[in-house]
Amino acid sequence: MTDKLRVYLPATMQALGSLREQAEFGPTGVDGRPVEAHAVTPALREWYAEGDEEELEYVAFTRAAQAALRLLRHDPVAPRRRVVISADVPADRLAAVDPDLGSSAVRLAGPVPLTAVAAIHVDAPGAEPDVDAAAQVVEEAVAGDPDAQFTVDGAEDHELAWYDVSELDELVS
């Protein structure tokens, strides 16, 4: 039996609509580029050798939430709410794992079926102004701009709400 790996998939509210309609997610986004996913990779474990499993999962999750900001930057009509889909996929369904020390980035080899989704995490509507501001400067923050990082940190102060996959219809209605 193939080992399963928890992956965190950055998404938008529109992507949740596609997940509901197609009963699967990825491996390419609406722009045709490969979906950037995050997981506890060997490179992440090596970099955070002192971190326990929960801390490592949080790092991967947080990186997926930041990647969701980048999706929003490139989709100005999407509701300004970060979305992260947590899914358990067979390890052999990952096409590539970034070998750089500390990286949590993985790429999907194929779509993730709705049945593999463990949970959906979404910003509350009240986070939208901070998320919008962060989406506008996320690339600058990644490049090291401290003012942009301060703005991104403001969005990251908002915790994403947890939803069971059975609540997908309510999320996208």
Side-chain angles (χ1 to χ4, degrees), residues 41-145:
T41 63
L44 183 62
R45 281 187 199 287
E46 185 177 344
W47 183 258
Y48 291 98
E50 300 299 316
D52 65 21
E53 191 67 21
E54 187 173 321
E55 290 170 319
L56 295 170
E57 295 269 344
Y58 185 74
V59 169
F61 177 85
T62 301
R63 289 178 179 173
Q66 189 174 67
L69 286 174
R70 288 195 293 282
L71 293 175
L72 292 172
R73 179 178 180 144
H74 298 290
D75 187 353
V77 299
R80 311 325 270 171
R81 296 166 75 185
R82 296 169 299 164
V83 175
V84 176
I85 299 168
S86 298
D88 297 317
V89 300
D92 63 2
R93 298 292 297 161
L94 300 177
V97 177
D98 184 349
D100 291 342
L101 190 61
S103 176
S104 62
V106 296
R107 192 166 41 93
L108 302 173
V112 175
L114 182 58
T115 56
V117 174
I120 301 166
H121 313 271
V122 181
D123 273 313
E128 288 182 10
D130 290 335
V131 170
D132 183 45
Q136 293 177 35
V137 299
V138 66
E139 299 297 342
E140 292 82 353
V142 170
D145 181 317

